[in-house]
């Protein structure tokens, strides 16, 4: 496939050439940190669910400065930062805090290939935490708020001959504001982690025609043998036409055309169902025509799978995958890295945790109060793992209220906070709706920022009826959504039961074991319980699993074990934070996990 990829930093600062970059600080690193080339960092195509052939990567060394909020662009910058790593991370080469009273400035230059002349140029950001103001050639071209979703600007009207100057200003109040932030705090300790500010996903350019495709999302219906494809376009007219082709290993099996405002329904015969055991993906090709001329062409993929609840022969409401009772079991996955914080060092590293989750015998991941780059979800689609996607928590998240499911306190949000939650949650769902591995939306975690739960859960279900809604994982209970979710540490327990919903154990475990030379900090390490050997940790894990098996027989349909890796001061991972050591006896864990999953038929 033809690609025009102009690698990073070639036109960074006139006369400077490449600077000497190295990771900052003395914290532990992953093995992938040594593989980073600042001239070729995160070179993979960033949006595989809607892929164009031509693009230009803007990752690499940029100039940066930290200034008091409200200042204009500095004449002199502080140094260089490696994008797309957050300024607080080691891999940024900076490792400095910003804080609510300051703003982070970025600057670089780039040139466009001559082949892109007469095209519209889109400037894409994978994610910037939290408020980003973007300037091109000293003209402010747009603002975006929200730390977890991609955004784009058409920069064509602002381009000059030759080099282009790109400047980005970022403000992020972390836990001093109402915005969703997940586990970020200004003073990390215990289960709370280092703040993340600024660009933390790939920045890139792509050429398009004025009329072009904006997004592609496919909703499967295995009962009807049909897939419905929704395509958003820009600047199209009522007479413009979109075409969708579905392919099975290169063979065309379905094709349809429609005007751009219509959903396309394609019938799929001889269905190949997607599951963790058989993650089959169909390829899709989408074409946009205007006056019979092809004006845009993207590649995508889709899957035929169904997630639902249904009563079993005993009247128990069970989670089902593809019309079969299916026990969903996986780890709580924070998605943090000792060297990159929110950003994995490489794409290989990003996929590694998913591969290890499969190696451990799990079939699900709960992505905990964080949203990942698009490539992470594509890895889940291709490798075969179910995903529960949390909404990142924010605002004045109350302390965990234990098991006060019926008398807990909901947060009274300001109108601005509530509006921002709704805006960012909708954007997250829109961003992630194309990925078939995602089967559950989790609107709140425990009681952190929990508000208007029935209203939020019901809106989520109506906005995306193709997936399940977990209204409050371990939080205040309301009779809404598709499941009742309780948390209990360290061992599993049946604390609450709803005969009208699927019952799940959204968190348990947290078995800790600190390993010297693999710790974020030498002291103040934390776990719900701690042991000193892999055998002891595994024995405890299996003891909990045997208890969990009885809960499955009594009516529970899913469970989430804490957690995939150690994270900063937490030492309760199946692996160390640097991913160097698997801390459990992997064969025994895998055998027990498969036994649990197969116990529900």
């Amino acid at each position: 496939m033809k690609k025009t990829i102009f690698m990073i930093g070639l036109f960074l600062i006139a006369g400077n050439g490449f600077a000497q970059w190295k990771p900052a600080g003395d914290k532990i690193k992953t093995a992938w940190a040594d593989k980073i080339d600042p001239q070729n960092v995160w070179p993979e195509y960033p949006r595989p669910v809607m892929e164009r052939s031509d693009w230009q990567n803007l990752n690499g060394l940029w100039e940066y400065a930290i200034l008091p909020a409200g200042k204009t662009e500095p004449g002199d910058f502080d140094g260089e930062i490696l994008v797309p790593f957050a300024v607080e991370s080691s891999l940024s080469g900076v490792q400095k805090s910003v804080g609510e009273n300051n703003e982070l400035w970025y600057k670089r230059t780039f040139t466009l290939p001559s082949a892109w002349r007469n095209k519209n140029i889109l400037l894409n950001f994978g994610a910037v935490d939290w408020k980003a103001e973007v300037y091109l050639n000293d003209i402010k071209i747009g603002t975006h708020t929200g730390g977890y979703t991609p955004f784009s600007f058409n920069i064509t009207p602002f381009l000059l001959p030759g080099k282009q100057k790109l400047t980005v200003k970022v403000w992020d109040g972390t836990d001093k504001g109402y915005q969703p932030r997940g586990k970020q705090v200004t003073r990390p300790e215990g289960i709370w982690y280092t703040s993340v500010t600024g660009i933390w996903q790939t920045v890139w350019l792509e050429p398009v025609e004025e009329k072009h495709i904006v997004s592609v999302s496919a909703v499967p219906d295995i009962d009807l043998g049909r897939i419905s494809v929704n395509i958003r376009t820009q600047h199209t007219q009522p007479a413009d036409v979109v075409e969708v082709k579905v392919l099975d290993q290169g063979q065309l099996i379905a094709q349809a055309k429609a005007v751009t405002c219509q959903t396309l329904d394609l019938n799929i015969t001889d269905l190949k169902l997607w599951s963790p055991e058989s993650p089959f993906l169909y390829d899709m090709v989408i074409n946009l025509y205007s006056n019979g001329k092809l004006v845009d062409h993207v590649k995508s993929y889709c899957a035929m799978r169904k997630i639902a609840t249904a009563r079993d022969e005993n009247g128990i409401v069970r989670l089902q995958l593809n019309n079969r009772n299916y026990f969903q079991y996986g780890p709580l996955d924070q998605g943090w890295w000792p060297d990159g914080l929110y950003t994995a060092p490489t794409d290989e590293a990003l996929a590694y945790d998913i591969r290890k989750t499969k190696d451990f015998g799990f079939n699900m991941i709960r992505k905990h109060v964080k949203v990942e780059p698009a490539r992470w979800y594509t890895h889940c689609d291709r490798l075969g793992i179910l995903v529960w996607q949390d909404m990142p928590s924010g605002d004045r998240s109350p302390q965990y209220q234990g098991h006060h499911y019926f008398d807990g306190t909901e947060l009274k949000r300001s109108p601005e906070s509530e509006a921002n939650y709704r805006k960012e949650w909708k954007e997250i769902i829109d961003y992630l709706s194309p990925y078939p591995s995602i089967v559950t939306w989790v609107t709140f975690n425990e009681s952190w920022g929990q508000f208007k739960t029935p209203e939020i859960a019901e809106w989520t279900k109506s906005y995306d009826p193709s997936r399940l809604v977990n209204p409050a994982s371990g939080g205040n209970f309301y009779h809404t959504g598709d499941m009742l979710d309780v948390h209990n540490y360290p061992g599993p327990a049946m604390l609450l039961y709803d005969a009208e919903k699927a019952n799940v154990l959204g968190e348990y475990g947290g078995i800790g074991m600190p390993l010297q030379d693999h710790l974020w900090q030498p002291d103040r390490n934390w776990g719900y319980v701690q042991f000193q050997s892999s055998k002891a940790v595994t024995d405890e894990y299996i003891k909990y699993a045997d208890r969990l098996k009885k809960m499955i027989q009594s009516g529970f349909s899913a469970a989430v074990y804490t957690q995939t890796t150690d994270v900063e001061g937490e030492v309760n991972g199946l692996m160390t934070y640097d991913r160097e050591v698997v801390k459990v006896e992997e064969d025994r864990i895998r055998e027990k996990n498969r036994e649990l999953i197969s116990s529900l038929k």
Side-chain angles (χ1 to χ4, degrees):
M1 178 178 63
K2 175 186 173 185
K3 283 190 178 179
T4 305
I5 306 175
F6 287 72
M7 289 337 296
I8 308 126
L10 289 174
F11 307 101
L12 178 62
I13 307 166
N16 261 12
F18 290 116
Q20 294 296 316
W21 167 86
K22 63 178 181 180
D26 58 0
K27 297 286 189 181
I28 57 173
K29 311 285 191 298
T30 66
W32 295 282
D34 293 334
K35 300 179 180 180
I36 291 176
D37 177 358
Q39 302 179 33
N40 195 27
V41 60
W42 271 99
E44 294 82 9
Y45 189 83
R47 189 190 56 208
V49 80
M50 196 184 90
E51 184 171 350
R52 291 190 175 96
S53 58
D54 285 355
W55 67 293
Q56 180 174 337
N57 196 333
L58 295 184
N59 290 342
L61 289 168
W62 297 38
E63 291 185 274
Y64 87 94
I66 299 173
L67 294 179
K71 297 291 184 180
T72 57
E73 179 186 332
D76 295 317
F77 280 68
D78 297 344
E80 292 175 323
I81 184 170
L82 188 62
V83 170
F85 300 105
V87 67
E88 295 91 345
S89 72
S90 170
L91 294 182
S92 71
V94 179
Q95 204 174 57
K96 292 180 181 178
S97 297
V98 179
E100 62 173 326
N101 297 317
N102 296 315
E103 291 170 330
L104 173 63
W105 287 83
Y106 295 84
K107 185 178 76 171
R108 67 156 292 159
T109 62
F110 63 89
T111 60
L112 296 172
S114 58
W116 292 7
R117 191 174 292 117
N118 300 322
K119 296 279 190 177
N120 280 254
I121 308 302
L122 302 182
L123 170 63
N124 302 302
F125 292 84
V128 181
D129 196 8
W130 176 75
K131 179 182 179 182
E133 296 180 9
V134 181
Y135 300 78
L136 189 72
N137 298 319
D138 299 316
I139 297 173
K140 183 178 178 180
I141 62 171
T143 301
H144 179 266
T145 58
Y148 298 98
T149 51
F151 58 97
S152 300
F153 300 109
N154 187 332
I155 63 174
T156 312
F158 315 106
L159 294 171
L160 299 174
K163 290 184 181 180
Q164 315 297 324
K165 176 188 172 186
L166 174 60
T167 312
V168 182
K169 182 177 73 172
V170 179
W171 176 85
D172 182 18
T174 310
D175 53 355
K176 307 303 180 184
Y178 55 69
Q179 68 269 27
R181 63 181 183 275
K183 289 290 196 81
Q184 301 178 56
V185 293
T186 52
R187 295 185 178 181
E189 62 177 348
I191 67 169
W192 307 101
Y193 315 143
T194 303
S195 57
V196 171
T197 303
I199 299 170
W200 66 276
Q201 291 185 31
T202 291
V203 185
W204 51 294
L205 302 165
E206 59 182 337
V208 296
E209 300 293 340
E210 182 179 10
K211 297 180 179 182
H212 59 272
I213 297 165
V214 175
S215 67
V216 177
S217 182
V219 180
D221 187 330
I222 70 169
D223 298 324
L224 295 178
R226 183 179 68 191
I227 194 155
S228 299
V229 184
N230 299 295
I231 301 167
R232 288 180 53 235
T233 60
Q234 194 160 50
H235 301 305
T236 51
Q237 303 299 318
D240 294 330
V241 171
V242 288
E243 176 186 49
V244 175
K245 297 179 180 180
V246 179
L247 300 97
D248 178 347
Q249 299 179 337
Q251 297 298 312
L252 181 67
I253 61 168
Q255 183 175 2
K257 292 182 179 181
V259 296
T260 53
C261 58
Q262 295 295 309
T263 298
L264 290 92
D265 294 323
L266 295 92
N267 294 322
I268 309 294
T269 58
D270 300 323
L271 292 184
K272 295 181 179 178
L273 299 180
W274 183 98
S275 70
E277 295 74 28
S278 179
F280 184 83
L281 298 174
Y282 293 91
D283 293 319
M284 282 200 305
V285 174
I286 299 97
N287 296 318
L288 173 62
Y289 296 94
S290 182
N291 296 321
K293 178 185 176 182
L294 179 66
V295 294
D296 201 4
H297 166 86
V298 299
K299 293 183 178 180
S300 186
Y301 63 86
C302 61
M304 298 300 293
R305 68 102 183 92
K306 176 183 176 182
I307 189 70
T309 61
R311 292 192 182 275
D312 66 12
E313 64 277 8
N314 298 314
I316 297 172
V317 178
R318 295 291 191 183
L319 297 179
Q320 289 197 327
L321 177 65
N322 299 332
N323 294 325
R324 299 179 62 184
N325 296 337
Y326 194 83
F327 184 70
Q328 299 184 27
Y329 187 38
L332 194 72
D333 192 311
Q334 312 276 5
W336 285 72
W337 301 83
D339 36 27
L341 298 181
Y342 255 21
T343 310
T346 66
D347 187 61
E348 179 186 1
L350 189 71
Y352 178 81
D353 285 1
I354 305 168
R355 294 183 188 277
K356 288 307 300 180
T357 300
K358 293 275 289 187
D359 289 346
F360 289 132
F362 294 112
N363 61 13
M364 177 262 279
I365 291 171
R366 180 180 168 202
K367 178 50 62 178
H368 193 39
V369 293
K370 185 200 175 192
V371 177
E372 292 288 359
R375 291 191 64 86
W376 187 86
Y377 298 95
T378 291
H379 287 314
C380 291
D381 293 341
R382 291 173 176 166
L383 294 171
I385 196 102
L386 304 176
V387 176
W388 291 12
Q389 178 61 56
D390 286 13
M391 170 63 177
S393 51
D395 209 317
R396 294 174 292 106
S397 296
Q399 292 294 316
Y400 174 54
Q401 298 176 38
H403 299 142
H404 294 278
Y405 296 111
F406 299 99
D407 58 359
T409 303
E410 278 208 328
L411 177 65
K412 175 66 175 177
R413 289 185 182 241
S414 68
E416 295 81 6
S417 173
E418 179 175 333
N420 186 75
Y421 175 100
R422 295 176 186 273
K423 166 192 171 291
E424 292 201 40
W425 186 221
K426 179 182 180 297
E427 290 176 349
I428 289 169
I429 294 174
D430 288 341
Y431 160 47
L432 297 180
S433 63
Y435 300 95
S437 55
I438 299 175
V439 295
T440 297
W441 301 118
V442 184
T443 55
F444 298 105
N445 176 69
E446 295 179 345
S447 52
W448 304 351
Q450 187 176 347
F451 77 103
K452 296 185 178 179
T453 308
E455 183 179 335
I456 297 296
E458 288 161 15
W459 177 87
T460 303
K461 187 69 175 181
S462 65
Y463 193 64
D464 183 7
S466 70
R467 291 179 170 94
L468 302 179
V469 174
N470 183 338
S473 183
N476 302 324
F477 174 73
Y478 293 86
H479 195 74
T480 188
D482 294 296
M483 57 185 76
L484 180 146
D485 183 324
V486 297
H487 294 180
N488 195 66
Y489 286 101
M494 288 185 64
L495 304 170
L496 202 62
Y497 190 84
D498 186 344
E500 300 300 316
K501 306 287 183 185
N503 291 267
V504 305
L505 180 65
E507 293 181 31
Y508 83 99
I511 304 169
M513 184 177 76
L515 282 181
Q516 196 66 30
D517 300 325
H518 301 279
L519 298 173
W520 175 258
Q521 54 198 19
D523 53 6
R524 294 186 296 116
N525 293 298
W526 182 86
Y528 290 94
V529 292
Q530 291 199 28
F531 296 88
Q532 300 302 314
S533 72
S534 294
K535 182 181 184 305
V537 171
T538 305
D539 288 345
E540 190 75 359
Y541 181 96
I542 288 176
K543 181 176 74 175
Y544 294 167
D546 289 337
R547 196 181 307 170
L548 180 58
K549 187 174 182 179
K550 295 178 181 178
M551 292 171 58
I552 297 170
Q553 296 164 353
S554 299
F556 271 64
S557 293
V560 177
Y561 176 80
T562 301
Q563 60 188 346
T564 308
T565 72
D566 296 347
V567 185
E568 298 201 357
E570 291 188 68
V571 293
N572 49 17
L574 296 164
M575 297 182 287
T576 55
Y577 196 17
D578 56 15
R579 278 71 167 176
E580 290 287 333
V581 180
V582 173
K583 299 199 297 179
V584 295
E585 295 178 344
E586 189 169 338
D587 290 347
R588 294 177 63 201
I589 295 290
R590 179 169 51 251
E591 180 182 0
K592 180 55 66 171
N593 289 349
R594 289 175 176 173
E595 176 188 326
L596 286 175
I597 291 169
S598 64
S599 67
L600 179 60
K601 301 296 185 182

